[in-house]
Amino acid sequence: MASNAVMEETLQILKDHKLRVTPQRHIILAYLVSHHNHPTVEIIRDALGKELPNMGASTIYNTLNTFVDHHLVVELQNGDGSTHYDYFGTPHYHAICTNCGRIVDVTYPGFSDTEKGLEKKTAEISGYMISGNHMEVYGLCPECQIKLGIKNNE
Amino acid sequence: MASNAVMEETLQILKDHKLRVTPQRHIILAYLVSHHNHPTVEIIRDALGKELPNMGASTIYNTLNTFVDHHLVVELQNGDGSTHYDYFGTPHYHAICTNCGRIVDVTYPGFSDTEKGLEKKTAEISGYMISGNHMEVYGLCPECQIKLGIKNNE
DNA sequence: TTAATAGATGAGAACCATTCCAATGTAATG
DNA sequence: CATTACATTGGAATGGTTCTCATCTATTAA
């Protein structure tokens, strides 16, 4: 599933973050790095069930929470009731379909400036010491626009 | 608690959105419009307990979900496990403390342009038909910076 | 004003994603 | 290899939110 290159890369990521390397952490991180779906705990469990059949749900939750704490991964809600996770290797944000929950990664040249500008302004106004941000944009994905028979000129 | 002016205003808001006017909806919306805390269902229940002692939790959830559907209110998570609600009368975003969960509203001249720019770019790149966005900035609030003994030059 | 009805409310049960717990297992250190 | 601090497991517990359905009511039409 995950290539050797990914396995080496993720091993290094864990070491860089001083996280104890366990098979569970390694395989979960490799899955997140090599997949661009935005999986839930259940999806990860199903996907990795063959390789680590006895992996407990608690372990997946613990592992993901650890990754979130280390800013390797971000949490996303798309309205289906469970949390989705996304490896955050390169800066981007998310467009989320309000009809089907589909999540896509988005970025563009200059996004980084937008982000930094928002953080700088926020620090000035609020006095917060900023450590990060989340931006999300909501709308209907192309498939749902067709499915719902909606025109662009509404 | 809520002034007559707020009661008139909220009554009009409900009518404008073609929402059936009930005492529960009216008082909950008035509470949200006149308070700038970002309450949970529990906080709302406690605050309005004197005026409507028998108001069920389901009613508050139903009411808030209805308001969210009508884009009157937005949902916020600050990591304490429950959902916070915010009346969204004027465009703004939120700074959320990663230590204590404190949420503050933020806006600045030009924020609207930032927002529109992000939505336009997203539509172009993703093909989504955009209906809204959420921006959040994370960091330590001034109180927690002091509490944790953190200097600004870290 | 009254009657009809679509929709809202309320109390509690049910749901289910997530966390907690205690016992066991294991990666890292020297 | 021994030590130890940390991770994993599976199941129980938690708790915020939704669901159910009987009751009630705001709204509309007659």
Side-chain angles (χ1 to χ4, degrees), chain B residues 8-85:
Chain B
E8 285 174 27
E9 179 191 352
T10 50
L11 184 60
Q12 195 54 48
I13 293 171
L14 291 174
K15 287 180 177 171
D16 289 347
H17 284 262
K18 302 212 189 325
L19 290 169
R20 185 178 290 199
V21 177
T22 67
Q24 292 83 354
R25 287 180 174 179
H26 200 175
I27 196 177
I28 291 172
L29 184 57
Y31 179 82
L32 290 170
V33 167
S34 59
H35 289 72
H36 304 132
N37 59 340
H38 300 79
T40 60
V41 165
E42 193 186 358
I43 291 171
I44 293 171
R45 182 168 228 218
D46 290 347
L48 303 182
K50 290 173 186 167
E51 306 176 56
L52 284 179
N54 295 324
M55 185 162 57
S58 345
T59 300
I60 304 180
Y61 279 107
N62 287 339
T63 300
L64 291 169
N65 286 341
T66 300
F67 290 167
V68 169
D69 291 343
H70 284 259
H71 298 102
L72 284 171
V73 163
V74 296
E75 298 182 333
L76 300 168
Q77 311 290 339
N78 73 342
D80 71 355
S82 57
T83 304
H84 295 247
Y85 296 87

Side-chain angles (χ1 to χ4, degrees), chain A residues 97 99-100 139-153, chain B residues 123 126-130:
Chain A
C97 181
N99 189 58
C100 72
L140 289 174
C141 70
E143 288 76 3
C144 284
Q145 290 174 40
I146 294 168
K147 205 181 301 170
L148 298 176
I150 294 174
K151 300 281 171 59
N152 279 320
N153 56 354
Chain B
S126 67
Y128 275 46
M129 186 185 312
I130 308 305

Side-chain angles (χ1 to χ4, degrees), chain A residues 123-134:
Chain A
E124 289 170 12
I125 296 164
S126 68
Y128 275 46
M129 185 185 312
I130 308 304
S131 56
N133 71 76
H134 280 351

